[in-house]
Every structure is written in C-alpha cells, then in structure tokens.
C-alpha cells in the first residue's frame, strides 16, 4: 500500500467478580485464557487491551481506553458467566460493533470429575451471551456472536476473528486517509453525484478537491532519473504494450507515476476519482493520454483510482482491494443469452493484481469513447473462477447501501477492443441477475474482486453501519 493504515481492535474479557473470592483458582485460569486468546488476534491489527473486567469500574476504564484509541471494532471474550454491567460501560459510548467470542476451553465435560470451579472456568459457555445481546440491542449497539472451543483448535473461530479484523481495516483506512476528486463527475451521470459532507459524516472519508491545472504540473519537479527509470521498468514489467516499448517510450509516463506516488503519500490518499473534460491539447493532452496506465500503477499499489469521477465506486474498489487484494472497476456490458452469462467490465484504469494468468495489455487508440482525446487503453484479464461484485449506492435520504453478488467467471471469447471484460455466470441466471441487481438501485459502476467475499463485506457493512443487499451467491 502506498499509504499504510492499521485497524485498531479493542479486546477485553469479562467474568463475574463474585466468583473470584469463592474460587481463587479462577484468577490464574482466566488470566491464562485471556493471554492465550489475545494471541489469536491477527498481528495485522493494533490490539488495544482492555484487560479482564469483573466490575463496572473496570469496564469504565476499558471504555476510556477504547474511546481514546478510536477503536474500529471491539472483541469481547466471554470467560464465564458475567452480568451485562461488566460489558456495557466499556462499549456504551462507542459506535462500532461488539463481537462476542463465546469459546469454551474444553470440548466436553468429564462429568464425574468436574467440580464447580472447573465448570465455571473451563466448561461454561452460552449462558451469558443472550444477556449481552439483549442489552446491546437495548443500547442500540451492533453485535455478532462467535461460538466455539479452544481445545484442539477451532478453524471456524479463527476464520471469523480474522474476517472481522480484515473488515475493521476498511473503517481505519477510510478514517485515516482521504479521497481525491480531480475535476468533476462525468456530466449527466447523476447516479455518481455525491454530497462530500454527507460522505464524511456517514463514512468518515474526507474529500480533497484538485483542479486539472494543478495535476498538469505535478511532474515538473521530478528530476530523479534513477527513480524514473525504475518506474519505467516497472511499467514494462506490468504491461504488454502493443507494438513493443522501451524505457524511453514510457519515460514521460513513468515520470508522472513517480509524481503521482509522491502526491498520494503527501496527501494521504487511498482513493482517487477523476474525470477530464477539456480540450486535451499541450501538456493537458500529454497527461490525459497516459492517465489510464498511470492510475493503474497506483491501483496496483493499493490506491483505488476510478474513472468518470465516481467516488462511490472508488470506495467499492478500495474496500475490495483492502479485504480481497484485488479491486477492478466494472459495469454491465452485455448479456450472452445463448450462454446465459453476463459480460462485465470497463475501460480505463484497472488492477494488475486481478490479471492472474496473463499480463495486462496496453494499446494506443485515437479516441476514448465518450471522452476527450485519445491515448493509452489498458485491458486486464481476470481468471476463471469465483468473483465478487460490490456496488455502493444511496437512498433518497443520503444513506449508503452496499449491493453485492458472487458469481463464477468462465473461459471463453471476450471483446478485444481494449476494455477489460469478464464472462460471469450467476446462480440465478443472467436475466434474473440483471433484474435483481438493477432493482437494488446501484450506480452503473461496480467493483470486482477475485474470490468470494460477501461474508467479509457483510462484516464491513456492520462496522460502518451500512446495510448490505445480497443479490445472489
């Protein structure tokens, strides 16, 4: 990632304080369990330790820690029965989900040889979870429950915790970085228009506005020839360029990419949405002609770059890149009714990481369809196999919604005029997919990622407090 972020996850455990003087062996037992549990939290996140809470006062101290750290998620280990006052003061003033991890130490009781302390310390699961959820509901807090066992390992528990931590990274990335809007959205694409203040209030993402006049001059001060040469070689390694190319051929493009990388770091940009609608002459024409591959080089490094000024699809691309490692801008292209598949793709910048089996290609065209000027087009080749689509839309009150679907990309003929496109089969068929996807009211753009990621996207939605509409799996 050109701009690094690390999610902050609050972690604490609860137990009923009344048990501890009655059964002193529970203190070292719980301390050991909590220490082991914290080791299961992926090191990809920053752990904010709220400790073992057995009183309301200790819960308040944990809550102070979590608020001060601005945690993106809270994970609560249920050690044994505890009343909800051990939990509520720690999370009452937070606007993030609480994941209740209800893991039992032992797989099964040794019934004849289990005393009360052993039962409370190693075998008590389930009893307090409903109480916690009941009071989280009454407090208006988002929540989830993970139930499992420690003995012998539990891959499902590990998977769920890892997915929650991955989802939390989206919130941190939005809060710690910015989105750049260069120019304005494509004229008349009103589904793309957005209220940047509403975006900040609801998603925590701040918009920085840039004029094209500033971008034309962005590479003027780039003089490090070693850096330019290295970037030119990176471009040649990334793309197969029609007709062949050398370092000298892509020198100016590499110079702009170096400048854009510096700009991204200086401005803390994780997302870019741009559209140019000028005369494409002189320096403007030079930059415009190479903007698609230049922004593709940024996407490769984790900065989502969307065409046509679409901030919402830039967010979708960023979410998928963050949780799945790939994030390709797409839209509905065509339907092959003979094969019952949808052709999905887009022209413009793309993610080289999605082009698994074949290097992306770059070619020069005399005209960008529907846009000013001409120049370099890039085409990416997603592999056959599972794929996830994510769109972000809004209702009449400005509330955001995620629209998601999973399908399977299939081998077969694709368009060859320079635009990325995929042959995707959906479980509900092409006709019904088009109907249901469209009825969900997405913008005409969506992001695509290799693999199936709806489960994690639903966790992202819960963390950001955004509803998720699943079209099909």
């Amino acid at each position: 990632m050109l701009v690094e972020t690390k999610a902050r996850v609050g972690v604490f455990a609860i137990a009923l304080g009344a048990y501890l003087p009655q059964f002193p062996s529970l203190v070292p037992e719980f301390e050991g369990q909590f220490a082991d549990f914290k080791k299961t939290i992926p090191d990809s996140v920053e752990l904010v330790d709220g400790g073992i809470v057995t009183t309301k006062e200790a819960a308040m101290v944990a809550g102070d820690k979590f608020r001060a750290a601005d945690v993106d998620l809270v994970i609560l280990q249920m050690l044994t029965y505890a009343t909800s006052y051990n939990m509520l003061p720690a999370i009452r003033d937070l606007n993030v989900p609480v994941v209740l991890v209800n893991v039992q130490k032992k797989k099964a009781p040794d019934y004849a040889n289990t005393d009360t302390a052993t039962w409370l310390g190693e075998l008590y699961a389930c009893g307090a979870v409903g109480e916690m959820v009941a009071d989280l509901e009454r407090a208006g807090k988002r929540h989830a429950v993970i139930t499992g066992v420690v003995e012998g390992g539990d891959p499902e528990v590990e998977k769920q915790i890892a997915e929650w931590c991955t989802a939390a990274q989206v919130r941190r990335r939005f809060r710690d970085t910015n989105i750049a809007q260069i120019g304005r959205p494509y004229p008349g694409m009103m589904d793309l228009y957005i209220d940047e203040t509403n975006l900040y209030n609801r998603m925590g993402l701040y918009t920085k506005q840039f004029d094209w006049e500033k971008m034309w001059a962005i590479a003027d001060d780039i003089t490090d020839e070693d850096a330019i040469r290295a970037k030119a070689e990176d471009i040649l390694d990334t793309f197969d360029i029609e007709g062949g190319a050398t370092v000298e051929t892509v020198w100016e493009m590499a110079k702009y990419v170096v400048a854009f990388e510096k700009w991204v770091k200086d401005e803390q940009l994780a997302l870019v949405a741009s559209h140019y609608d000028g005369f494409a002459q002189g320096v403007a024409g030079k930059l415009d002609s190479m903007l698609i591959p230049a922004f593709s080089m940024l996407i490769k490094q984790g900065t989502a770059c969307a065409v046509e000024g679409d901030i919402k699809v830039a967010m979708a691309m960023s979410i998928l890149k963050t949780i799945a490692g790939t994030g390709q801008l797409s839209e509905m292209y065509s339907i092959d009714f003979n094969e019952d598949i949808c052709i999905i793709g887009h022209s413009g910048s793309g993610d080289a990481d999605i082009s698994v089996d074949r290097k992306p290609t770059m070619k020069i065209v005399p005209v960008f369809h529907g846009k000013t000027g001409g120049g370099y087009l890039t085409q990416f080749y997603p592999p056959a196999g599972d794929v996830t689509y994510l769109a972000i839309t809004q209702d009449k009150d400005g509330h955001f919604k995620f629209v998601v679907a999973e399908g399977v990309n299939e081998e077969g003929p694709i368009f060859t005029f320079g635009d990325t496109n995929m042959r995707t089969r959906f479980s509900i068929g092409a006709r019904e997919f088009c109907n249901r996807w469209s009825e969900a009211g997405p913008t005409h753009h969506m992001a695509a990622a290799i693999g199936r990621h709806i489960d994690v996207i639903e966790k992202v939605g819960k963390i950001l407090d955004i509803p998720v509409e699943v079209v099909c799996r």
Side-chain angles (χ1 to χ4, degrees):
M1 296 284 187
L2 282 171
V3 180
E4 292 290 348
T5 57
K6 198 169 188 178
R8 302 169 195 162
V9 177
V11 179
F12 73 121
I14 61 173
L16 188 66
Y19 292 154
L20 305 186
Q22 294 176 326
F23 308 100
S25 63
L26 290 179
V27 174
E29 175 65 40
F30 290 157
E31 288 174 346
Q33 287 189 36
F34 185 51
D36 289 342
F37 178 69
K38 288 185 288 185
K39 293 175 185 175
T40 68
I41 307 300
D43 58 11
S44 58
V45 303
E46 178 185 336
L47 191 151
V48 181
D49 191 346
I52 298 176
V53 169
T54 60
T55 66
K56 170 180 173 287
E57 289 73 23
M60 293 172 68
V61 171
D64 289 342
K65 274 190 176 182
F66 297 158
R67 286 194 303 276
D70 182 30
V71 295
D72 303 296
L73 177 70
V74 172
I75 297 178
L76 168 58
Q77 182 190 20
M78 308 289 294
L79 290 168
T80 187
Y81 176 77
T83 56
S84 48
Y85 81 76
N86 294 105
M87 173 194 65
L88 283 174
I91 58 86
R92 184 187 61 184
D93 298 324
L94 301 175
N95 186 26
V96 296
V98 181
V99 179
L100 306 170
V101 181
N102 177 43
V103 288
Q104 184 169 285
K105 183 176 180 180
K106 297 290 186 181
K107 280 188 175 180
D110 178 358
Y111 294 96
N113 298 298
T114 297
D115 58 16
T116 302
T118 303
W119 165 58
L120 291 173
E122 300 181 4
L123 293 162
Y124 191 96
C126 311
V129 185
E131 177 177 338
M132 301 301 137
V133 172
D135 284 318
L136 287 168
E137 280 286 312
R138 293 171 72 188
K141 303 298 181 183
R142 305 185 296 284
H143 50 78
V145 175
I146 301 173
T147 295
V149 65
V150 175
E151 184 181 16
D154 194 326
E156 181 60 25
V157 171
E158 294 173 8
K159 173 178 174 288
Q160 291 296 322
I161 290 175
E163 287 183 352
W164 277 108
C165 289
T166 298
Q169 174 67 351
V170 173
R171 180 181 187 270
R172 180 51 43 191
R173 195 151 180 78
F174 279 12
R175 290 174 81 83
D176 282 359
T177 64
N178 306 294
I179 181 167
Q181 185 170 58
I182 314 173
R184 49 163 174 72
Y186 192 102
M189 291 182 181
M190 297 178 70
D191 59 326
L192 310 187
Y193 295 178
I194 198 165
D195 175 345
E196 290 88 356
T197 305
N198 181 57
L199 174 66
Y200 180 73
N201 288 334
R202 296 191 186 276
M203 301 286 266
L205 184 61
Y206 180 69
T207 307
K208 289 191 171 185
Q209 303 283 356
F210 295 89
D211 294 325
W212 279 109
E213 286 83 353
K214 192 170 188 176
M215 307 315 294
W216 294 332
I218 199 170
D220 289 356
D221 297 329
I222 302 299
T223 57
D224 185 341
E225 294 200 354
D226 289 339
I228 298 170
R229 182 172 298 278
K231 190 54 59 179
E233 291 171 350
D234 189 12
I235 293 170
L236 295 176
D237 287 341
T238 301
F239 291 98
D240 279 332
I241 301 175
E242 189 178 77
T246 64
V247 165
E248 288 68 33
T249 307
V250 297
W251 186 268
E252 282 297 313
M253 185 188 299
K255 187 176 178 181
Y256 272 107
V257 174
V258 171
F260 278 128
E261 289 176 352
K262 181 178 184 303
W263 170 67
V264 163
K265 292 178 180 177
D266 289 347
E267 300 289 350
Q268 287 289 105
L269 302 175
L271 312 93
V272 177
S274 67
H275 178 64
Y276 175 67
D277 190 16
F279 294 105
Q281 297 175 353
V283 67
K286 180 171 68 173
L287 174 56
D288 187 51
S289 70
M290 64 183 66
L291 203 59
I292 287 173
F295 277 170
S296 296
M297 296 301 292
L298 296 185
I299 297 172
K300 180 183 175 183
Q301 300 175 82
T303 297
C305 298
V307 299
E308 296 171 357
D310 188 352
I311 286 177
K312 283 175 274 197
V313 82
M315 289 192 291
M317 293 167 67
S318 180
I319 290 170
L320 289 183
K321 188 69 172 175
T322 300
I323 69 173
T326 51
Q328 174 73 33
L329 191 148
S330 304
E331 70 178 36
M332 291 290 291
Y333 250 43
S334 300
I335 297 176
D336 186 328
F337 285 96
N338 290 332
E339 298 290 336
D340 194 28
I341 59 172
C342 294
I343 311 299
I344 298 176
H346 208 281
S347 61
S349 306
D351 185 1
D353 287 337
I354 209 168
S355 216
V356 174
D357 300 324
R358 177 180 171 187
K359 283 177 69 174
T361 53
M362 188 191 308
K363 64 188 295 185
I364 297 178
V365 295
V367 61
F368 296 137
H369 67 272
K371 301 178 178 71
T372 301
Y376 289 97
L377 279 183
T378 55
Q379 185 163 0
F380 301 83
Y381 303 94
D386 294 339
V387 63
T388 299
Y389 294 103
L390 167 64
I392 300 178
T393 188
Q394 291 176 278
D395 66 13
K396 62 184 179 63
D397 297 316
H399 297 97
F400 289 93
K401 180 177 75 169
F402 294 164
V403 182
V404 292
E406 292 171 345
V408 178
N409 282 333
E410 297 187 350
E411 299 283 0
I414 57 173
F415 297 123
T416 59
F417 46 76
D419 291 359
T420 301
N421 54 106
M422 297 168 275
R423 299 164 52 86
T424 307
R425 185 176 302 281
F426 295 98
S427 60
I428 55 177
R431 187 194 307 266
E432 188 63 16
F433 170 78
C434 190
N435 290 343
R436 292 190 196 178
W437 183 267
S438 302
E439 284 288 343
T443 66
H444 71 282
H445 290 148
M446 50 188 158
I450 298 170
R452 293 184 177 265
H453 304 287
I454 286 179
D455 288 348
V456 182
I457 292 169
E458 288 180 323
K459 293 176 174 66
V460 173
K462 187 164 281 192
I463 289 173
L464 296 177
D465 200 14
I466 304 294
V468 179
E469 183 167 345
V470 177
V471 172
C472 62
R473 292 179 184 261

